[in-house]
Amino acid sequence: MTAMMVAALVILGSCHHSGNTPDPEPDPDPDVPIPNPNEQSPWLSVNVRPEWDIDWSSNDPRPDWVDPDVSTYESWMIIMVKVPEPIVPFVSNDDMMAVFINDEIRGLSSVATAFNEKDNLDVEHTYFIVKTYGNASSKGEQFSIRYYCSQLHQLFVVDEEEKFVPEGDLGVSHDYVPPLLLGSSKYPVVMFWSLKLNIDQGQKEPIEPDPGDLLAAFVGGECRGTTILGGKLFDSYANITVYSKQEGEKITLRYYSTKKEAIRIINTNVTTKSGSKQTQISI
C-alpha cells in the first residue's frame, strides 16, 4: 500500500499542470530579440530593381574653343579618348573634346570625328580622336582633357599624368579612358569611400546579403554613387565613389535586396570630403 502511494506522488510530481491551467511562459532568451507586432517593417517592397543613377546634368555655358593655328607647331600627337560609360548615352553632335597644354588649346575634336565600336559583348563604346599639336620643346609636357557635353550642359576637366609625345599616339592600341567624371563642374568634391559593413542581427528583418545586391549613397533624395555587392557582405568591404557638390554633405545609404525585392534606408553619420575615407557601418 505504501509503495502504491509513493508511485502516485511521483507521477503527479512529474506533471506541469492539471486540468485547464496553462503552462507558465518560459523565460525569454536574452540573445533572441522579441519582435514587436506593431513595429513597421524597415523594408520597402518594390516591383522592379531600382535604377539608381547620378544626375550629371548641369548649366555650364558652351565653351568658345577654336582649333589651334597648326602653322605655329612643328609636330603632333594622336590621342584617342574613350568616353566613360555613364555619359555615353548623352554624347551628341554638338559635343567638343579638347586637349590643352599650359592652358593653351592644342587639339579640338567634335563628334564628327568620333566613332562607336561594338565589342564581342555587344557593348557600345564612344571614342573621340584628337590630333594634338606641339613642338619639340613640348615633349614631356603634361596635358589636360576637357570635354563639353551639350545634352548635359556639363564641362568635365581632368589634368592627366600622361605627357605629350611628338608623333606619338595614345589610346590607339589600348583604350585611354581619362577620369572625366572626377573633373565634373557639378560635383567638384569626390570621395572614395571604403565601408566595412557589419550585419546587425538584432534588428528587425536583418539584411541577408546576396550577390547582385545594390548599395547607393544619397544626399537627400539625390543619388551620388552606386556599387554592386557580393555575397559575403558582413566580413568584406564595399567601395563606392561619392560625388558631392561641397564638403560636409550628409550621406544616407539605400540597400536593395535581390532576395526580398525591397529597399532599406540606412542612416549614417558620414559627411562628404575630398579624397579617401574609411568607415565601419552597422547595417
Side-chain angles (χ1 to χ4, degrees):
M1 182 68 173
T2 302
M4 293 178 61
M5 291 179 65
V6 171
L9 289 172
V10 170
I11 293 173
L12 287 173
S14 67
C15 296
H16 293 289
H17 67 275
S18 62
N20 296 322
T21 304
D23 288 337
E25 291 294 332
D27 293 334
D29 187 339
D31 296 325
V32 178
I34 300 175
N36 182 354
N38 297 321
E39 184 180 353
Q40 292 184 344
S41 171
W43 293 94
L44 174 64
S45 297
V46 291
N47 294 324
V48 295
R49 184 181 178 90
E51 295 184 359
W52 289 324
D53 292 312
I54 298 173
D55 180 9
W56 292 106
S57 62
S58 187
N59 56 0
D60 295 334
R62 182 178 178 83
D64 56 355
W65 298 332
V66 294
D67 287 300
D69 181 1
V70 299
S71 65
T72 61
Y73 302 102
E74 58 190 19
S75 187
W76 47 263
M77 177 182 180
I78 295 296
I79 301 176
M80 190 164 78
V81 179
K82 180 180 177 181
V83 178
E85 291 183 10
I87 54 178
V88 165
F90 305 100
V91 174
S92 71
N93 292 330
D94 294 325
D95 292 359
M96 294 189 291
M97 184 79 69
V99 177
F100 282 74
I101 298 178
N102 297 325
D103 210 34
E104 177 185 350
I105 191 167
R106 296 293 186 88
L108 180 63
S109 173
S110 67
V111 79
T113 55
F115 63 93
N116 296 330
E117 176 185 74
K118 289 190 177 182
D119 56 24
N120 55 3
L121 297 178
D122 200 34
V123 177
E124 188 173 88
H125 304 298
T126 299
Y127 298 80
F128 285 80
I129 299 177
V130 188
K131 192 171 185 179
T132 304
Y133 293 88
N135 296 310
S137 60
S138 302
K139 183 178 180 180
E141 290 188 309
Q142 289 182 322
F143 57 80
S144 65
I145 299 289
R146 305 184 188 184
Y147 170 60
Y148 181 74
C149 181
S150 295
Q151 287 193 32
L152 295 175
H153 301 283
Q154 168 78 281
L155 177 64
F156 300 90
V157 179
V158 289
D159 294 321
E160 275 292 72
E161 295 295 327
E162 303 290 347
K163 297 177 173 59
F164 181 81
V165 179
E167 299 182 14
D169 66 77
L170 177 65
V172 176
S173 56
H174 297 89
D175 277 344
Y176 168 56
V177 190
L180 293 174
L181 302 182
L182 301 185
S184 164
S185 61
K186 183 177 183 179
Y187 301 120
V189 175
V190 181
M191 185 173 79
F192 304 98
W193 193 11
S194 292
L195 298 86
K196 180 69 170 72
L197 301 174
N198 299 315
I199 299 177
D200 181 3
Q201 296 291 350
Q203 65 182 333
K204 184 175 182 179
E205 301 180 46
I207 291 174
E208 301 174 24
D210 268 342
D213 287 357
L214 299 180
L215 186 68
F218 275 74
V219 173
E222 185 178 352
C223 179
R224 298 295 184 83
T226 61
T227 189
I228 300 176
L229 301 178
K232 299 296 184 181
L233 177 60
F234 68 92
D235 60 354
S236 65
Y237 283 89
N239 297 312
I240 185 169
T241 301
V242 182
Y243 298 89
S244 177
K245 295 179 180 178
Q246 59 188 9
E247 291 195 348
E249 292 185 311
K250 185 178 179 180
I251 303 173
T252 59
L253 296 173
R254 297 188 187 184
Y255 186 101
Y256 172 74
S257 168
T258 55
K259 179 183 295 184
K260 292 179 178 292
E261 295 185 332
I263 296 171
R264 187 172 193 140
I265 297 178
I266 304 165
N267 292 314
T268 76
N269 294 320
V270 178
T271 57
T272 57
K273 70 171 188 176
S274 295
S276 300
K277 184 177 182 65
Q278 292 186 349
T279 312
Q280 185 164 303
I281 301 288
S282 181
I283 62 172

